[in-house]
């Protein structure tokens, strides 16, 4: 043991701490399946206006058509509609509840929500790449029971809307794609 090392800290801890710091600084979440697809340039509101349909979810192993509430009720078509004036309407969107029993993410549907609110494009997160910190764009939602914000996927229209749940590294998400008009 060196004279500057604490007696209760094994010698390998400084090396491990250095490796963890370098890994964290190297950029992004290594397991986030969307990391390369997040929207990094601010789109216009007109780029996002339209109706989006739930096309994928990986919070449980059921296909979208078989999602049910705790009461066993099936939802109708799950959609989010964005209007140019900043209003949004949503129908039959699953509200998920997480349970971290035994250190494992387990998600279940609390209910299906329908309602309205407001939306705006804003920076909702960030990541690192070789050029430094990169802002990620998404939707800030108000007056909606869905979430405070979502992420956008894509570098040009049509964009996708992603709701992430829990740790982004776990990849728990719902994806909405625009419905052609």
């Amino acid at each position: 043991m060196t004279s500057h090392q604490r007696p209760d800290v094994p010698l390998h801890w400084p090396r491990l701490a250095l490796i963890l710091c370098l890994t964290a600084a190297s950029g992004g979440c290594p397991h986030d399946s969307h990391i390369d697809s997040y929207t990094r340039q601010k789109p216009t509101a007109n780029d996002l206006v339209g109706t989006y349909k739930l096309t994928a979810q990986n919070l449980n192993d059921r296909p979208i058509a078989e999602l049910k509430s705790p009461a066993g009720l099936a939802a109708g078509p799950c959609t989010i509609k964005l209007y140019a004036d900043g209003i949004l309407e949503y129908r039959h969107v699953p509200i998920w509840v997480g349970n971290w029993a035994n250190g494992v993410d387990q998600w279940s549907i609390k209910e299906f929500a329908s309602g309205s609110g407001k939306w705006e494009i804003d920076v909702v997160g960030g990541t690192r790449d070789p050029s430094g910190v990169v802002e990620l764009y998404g939707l800030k939602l108000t007056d909606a029971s869905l979430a405070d914000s979502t992420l956008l996927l894509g570098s040009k229209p049509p964009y996708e809307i992603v709701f992430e749940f829990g740790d982004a590294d776990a990849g728990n998400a719902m994806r909405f794609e625009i419905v052609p008009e």
Side-chain angles (χ1 to χ4, degrees):
M1 179 165 50
T2 63
S3 61
H4 65 277
Q5 182 181 353
R6 288 182 27 202
D8 60 335
V9 178
L11 185 58
H12 66 275
W13 277 110
R15 279 190 229 128
L16 180 59
L18 177 62
I19 290 169
L20 290 173
C21 287
L22 290 174
T23 301
S26 66
C29 297
H31 304 291
D32 187 339
S33 60
H34 302 119
I35 196 68
D36 293 327
S37 302
Y38 289 132
T39 302
R40 297 166 186 236
Q41 298 293 321
K42 186 175 183 177
T44 67
N46 285 335
D47 288 338
L48 298 172
V49 169
T51 301
Y52 293 76
K53 177 177 133 182
L54 178 63
T55 56
Q57 65 86 20
N58 64 352
L59 289 115
N60 69 21
D61 58 359
R62 293 187 183 268
I64 292 168
E66 295 177 15
L67 294 178
K68 295 188 183 331
S69 72
L73 302 174
C78 177
T79 60
I80 298 173
K81 186 165 187 172
L82 303 179
Y83 293 92
D85 63 358
I87 300 294
L88 74 95
E89 293 177 347
Y90 52 97
R91 301 284 174 255
H92 311 291
V93 176
I95 304 299
W96 296 90
V97 179
N99 178 8
W100 291 270
N102 301 318
V104 177
D105 282 353
Q106 298 172 344
W107 295 91
S108 59
I109 295 174
K110 176 183 174 186
E111 63 186 345
F112 294 101
S114 295
S116 63
K118 295 183 180 186
W119 68 277
E120 66 178 310
I121 303 164
D122 203 354
V123 174
V124 295
T127 189
R128 288 186 151 308
D129 71 9
S131 65
V133 176
V134 178
E135 295 177 329
L136 303 176
Y137 287 89
L139 304 178
K140 291 276 188 172
L141 307 177
T142 56
D143 304 325
S145 64
L146 300 179
D148 293 334
S149 64
T150 71
L151 285 156
L152 293 172
L153 292 182
S155 58
K156 62 182 181 180
Y159 292 93
E160 294 179 29
I161 299 172
V162 175
F163 289 83
E164 289 190 331
F165 299 86
D167 183 355
D169 289 348
N172 297 318
M174 290 190 304
R175 287 176 77 152
F176 290 78
E177 294 179 15
I178 197 156
V179 177
E181 302 221 7

